[in-house]
Amino acid sequence: MDTLQSLQWRPPKPNYLPHDIDVDEPIVDVYKPPIPMDKATDRENAEYYAHMKRMAHEYNITRPKGYTVSYHFNPDMEPHHFGLTHPMKPFRLTLTKSLVTAYGMNFAMDNYNTRIATYEELNSFHTSDYLDYLHMAPPEEMPRDIDNPDKEVKFNLGGSDCPLFHGLYDYCSMSAGSSLDAARKICNKQSDIAIAWGGGLHHAKKSEASGFCYINDIVIAILQLLRCYPRVLYIDIDVHHGDGVEEAFHSTDRVLTCSFHKFAPEVFFPGTGGLDDNGPKSEHNPGAHHAINVPLNDGITDEQYGHLFQSVIGKINEKFRPSVIALQCGADSLAGDRLGRFNLQVQGHGACAKFCKTFGIPMIMFGGGGYTPRNVARAWAYETSVAIDVDEKINKIIPDHTPWRKHFVQEELFPSLEQILGEPRANRNSQKRLQEIIQHVHEQLRFVNAAPSVQQQVIPPDLGGIRDDVEDRLKEESEERDEGLRRDREEGLGISGEF
């Protein structure tokens, strides 16, 4: 063993799932399929489509002026589930889609039903050995570490955090496919804001699963962005540290990562992302000072979070001058999350996307964590409305025709803290500490060269040929969908100024 490595102190790495939670505060109920995932009849689809059109007319939901928003999704992700007691519920994507379409927001965007990412596209970041095992490993009904916590698992696959469930490889490929398609639409100038709520899995490493994340779709998407843009700003508002993305771009000055997260190394996953963790320690490494971490305690409020976010991100924008933003909108930072412990509400969470939008540069909005599906759906639907500039127009009461409406419990789009928690969590973030964080970040940014020059010939591998072969096979299928979209546009539902 290398002597230096053996002498380095490493903090204990907690599980993503805490195992010391009180008996009366279960992390998640035993999994029960929330609804039958049967397809609607043609008549039901026609009735729902009429409701969507009516809402678009009623709230004047039109395409935003001067820029294009695209929505990238693969509905085949939704029926998957991670296991009987696992907090991750892909059903949250179903609820998000139900809210977005119920308000008629889909008429204001370009909607893409994305293909799965190919092996070669996943291999642009992940190792072949890891991908081969992920693809070939058979599903297991129970995590291996339930009876024996010390049992080894290969590539960190098969434990309670990252179980081997049915359809795992396809699920990961769909998630990465949506994010990669969003990045390509940004690169091709077909979109200015691209939304991929099925992505945002920021913990996955090059050859290891971690924290419910198997494929790091964000890294794969950023690699695509770097082919066309000199500097990428990655922002993470998940309650957990965005360690996988930070690690992937540890030694480059073309990507600056900034993560806002709960930091309690001994008890909260992943135990990294301290205030002094700012990238490589060597000043000769280009990545030095290009990792900004904002460690927080339980109970932070909308007002505190908003001030902190604007103070930090505003200064980063001033110094780094990003060409494009990758915003991870993990919703486990919301109040009422099964794993998070903040007091953030939907409005405070969405304010981060709203602030980033003011910079006027291209942006991808990813999903991420979030383990109370109804609140995740509220946040991502609201942030979709922010992207298309209708957040002030939509009704703050969830429409009656919203599919699965009873699963939202409260009828409000923005339930109060009292409705969500009963009593807000104790706020352990003093104003003095938050100001110290801002000062520290601003000091670190003094070492960031404003708008670093980039040799554009140093770019990630070209996957264009692979992409073209796959997309040619899907061209015929897309023509019919495009024809339907053309008819919708001719009706004028998505064109500003026609009402």
Side-chain angles (χ1 to χ4, degrees):
M1 179 182 291
D2 181 80
T3 305
L4 180 61
Q5 284 189 343
S6 66
L7 294 176
Q8 287 180 333
W9 181 81
R10 295 182 178 86
K13 184 176 180 181
N15 273 6
Y16 196 106
L17 291 173
H19 296 294
D20 58 352
I21 199 159
D22 293 339
V23 175
D24 60 345
E25 288 190 78
I27 298 172
V28 63
D29 297 329
V30 172
Y31 176 79
K32 298 176 183 177
I35 41 84
M37 300 298 281
D38 298 332
K39 291 185 177 180
T41 65
D42 289 343
R43 180 176 178 178
E44 289 171 332
N45 280 331
E47 290 175 351
Y48 186 61
Y49 186 77
H51 282 305
M52 293 192 309
K53 289 173 65 176
R54 180 176 59 81
M55 294 299 284
H57 282 292
E58 183 175 338
Y59 296 118
N60 194 25
I61 293 177
T62 62
R63 289 177 174 268
K65 294 182 179 179
Y67 66 98
T68 301
V69 179
S70 57
Y71 195 86
H72 306 259
F73 65 99
N74 190 322
D76 292 335
M77 290 183 67
E78 298 169 19
H80 290 83
H81 75 91
F82 282 52
L84 292 177
T85 58
H86 203 286
M88 178 63 89
K89 297 286 184 276
F91 176 60
R92 64 199 186 139
L93 298 174
T94 306
L95 290 183
T96 301
K97 183 175 66 178
S98 76
L99 264 188
V100 169
T101 56
Y103 279 111
M105 288 189 250
N106 49 302
F107 292 115
M109 303 180 284
D110 292 335
N111 299 279
Y112 296 97
N113 189 334
T114 58
R115 63 169 175 82
I116 64 172
T118 66
Y119 179 96
E120 292 81 6
E121 288 167 340
L122 302 180
N123 197 209
S124 66
F125 174 59
H126 294 283
T127 63
S128 297
D129 287 348
Y130 174 64
L131 292 175
D132 291 343
Y133 187 82
L134 184 67
H135 184 252
M136 298 301 296
E140 299 176 353
E141 296 304 320
M142 290 294 292
R144 299 177 190 177
D145 57 356
I146 293 295
D147 297 324
N148 183 3
D150 298 323
K151 188 170 184 178
E152 289 190 9
V153 290
K154 192 172 183 180
F155 298 116
N156 202 32
L157 291 167
S160 55
D161 279 3
C162 299
L164 292 165
F165 59 87
H166 291 271
L168 170 60
Y169 185 82
D170 287 342
Y171 176 87
C172 297
S173 301
M174 293 173 198
S175 170
S178 296
S179 297
L180 189 53
D181 189 56
R184 285 181 173 142
K185 294 301 186 291
I186 293 288
C187 287
N188 295 339
K189 312 298 184 185
Q190 292 176 256
S191 179
D192 298 293
I193 300 177
I195 299 171
W197 296 135
L201 306 179
H202 58 167
H203 294 305
K205 309 301 192 297
K206 192 176 184 69
S207 56
E208 181 181 275
S210 178
F212 308 175
C213 304
Y214 303 82
I215 293 294
N216 202 314
D217 61 285
I218 301 173
V219 171
I220 294 171
I222 290 176
L223 288 173
Q224 174 65 31
L225 293 175
L226 288 172
R227 296 188 55 80
C228 303
Y229 294 94
R231 294 172 302 282
V232 179
L233 170 58
Y234 171 69
I235 305 171
D236 193 312
I237 58 173
D238 196 288
V239 78
H240 299 91
H241 176 225
D243 58 334
V245 182
E246 179 182 309
E247 181 181 305
F249 299 106
H250 188 69
S251 296
T252 178
D253 61 356
R254 292 187 59 191
V255 179
L256 190 149
T257 63
C258 181
S259 177
F260 298 76
H261 52 268
K262 176 177 174 177
F263 183 66
E266 296 183 359
V267 296
F268 196 73
F269 183 91
T272 54
L275 187 61
D276 293 325
D277 295 333
N278 300 122
K281 299 306 179 185
S282 172
E283 296 294 334
H284 298 291
N285 191 314
H289 309 291
H290 282 71
I292 302 298
N293 284 297
V294 181
L296 303 169
N297 295 320
D298 289 347
I300 193 166
T301 65
D302 283 357
E303 294 74 18
Q304 289 177 318
Y305 199 94
H307 174 67
L308 193 62
F309 187 88
Q310 293 189 24
S311 299
V312 169
I313 298 302
K315 192 66 174 180
I316 289 175
N317 181 61
E318 175 188 324
K319 287 290 294 181
F320 184 62
R321 295 296 182 190
S323 317
V324 61
I325 293 174
L327 175 62
Q328 197 266 20
C329 300
D332 47 6
S333 47
L334 288 171
D337 188 80
R338 288 191 169 106
L339 298 183
R341 292 292 182 268
F342 288 172
N343 284 324
L344 286 188
Q345 295 179 263
V346 170
Q347 306 94 306
H349 199 266
C352 298
K354 202 164 189 174
F355 183 69
C356 291
K357 189 181 162 192
T358 64
F359 297 145
I361 60 177
M363 177 167 63
I364 301 179
M365 296 167 63
F366 301 94
Y371 308 104
T372 304
R374 60 182 179 271
N375 293 338
V376 176
R378 283 182 168 96
W380 291 349
Y382 175 64
E383 284 152 12
T384 300
S385 76
V386 167
I388 60 177
D389 205 22
V390 300
D391 50 299
E392 300 295 333
K393 297 180 181 179
I394 58 175
N395 196 325
K396 302 311 181 283
I397 300 297
I398 295 173
D400 290 336
H401 61 271
T402 304
W404 329 126
R405 191 176 190 270
K406 66 179 181 180
H407 291 279
F408 290 95
V409 183
Q410 299 93 2
E411 64 176 2
E412 293 87 0
L413 183 61
F414 305 138
S416 66
L417 279 179
E418 289 70 25
Q419 288 176 293
I420 298 169
L421 295 173
E423 183 177 341
R425 300 190 184 280
N427 187 352
R428 306 188 186 282
N429 300 272
S430 68
Q431 290 301 120
K432 179 182 178 182
R433 176 56 178 164
L434 296 181
Q435 194 57 41
E436 289 173 352
I437 290 173
I438 292 172
Q439 290 173 354
H440 178 90
V441 170
H442 286 191
E443 176 65 20
Q444 285 297 316
L445 290 171
R446 290 200 308 110
F447 299 97
V448 173
N449 292 325
S453 59
V454 176
Q455 293 181 326
Q456 288 285 4
Q457 66 267 29
V458 183
I459 56 179
D462 188 0
L463 298 173
I466 299 168
R467 177 197 65 195
D468 292 342
D469 288 343
V470 174
E471 292 188 348
D472 283 346
R473 296 200 302 266
L474 300 176
K475 184 176 180 181
E476 184 176 341
E477 298 176 17
S478 69
E479 288 178 352
E480 184 176 343
R481 186 169 64 249
D482 291 343
E483 177 64 18
L485 181 60
R486 180 188 63 79
R487 285 195 295 268
D488 287 345
R489 287 175 172 171
E490 288 177 353
E491 290 184 38
L493 274 172
I495 310 300
S496 181
E498 290 197 357
F499 294 124

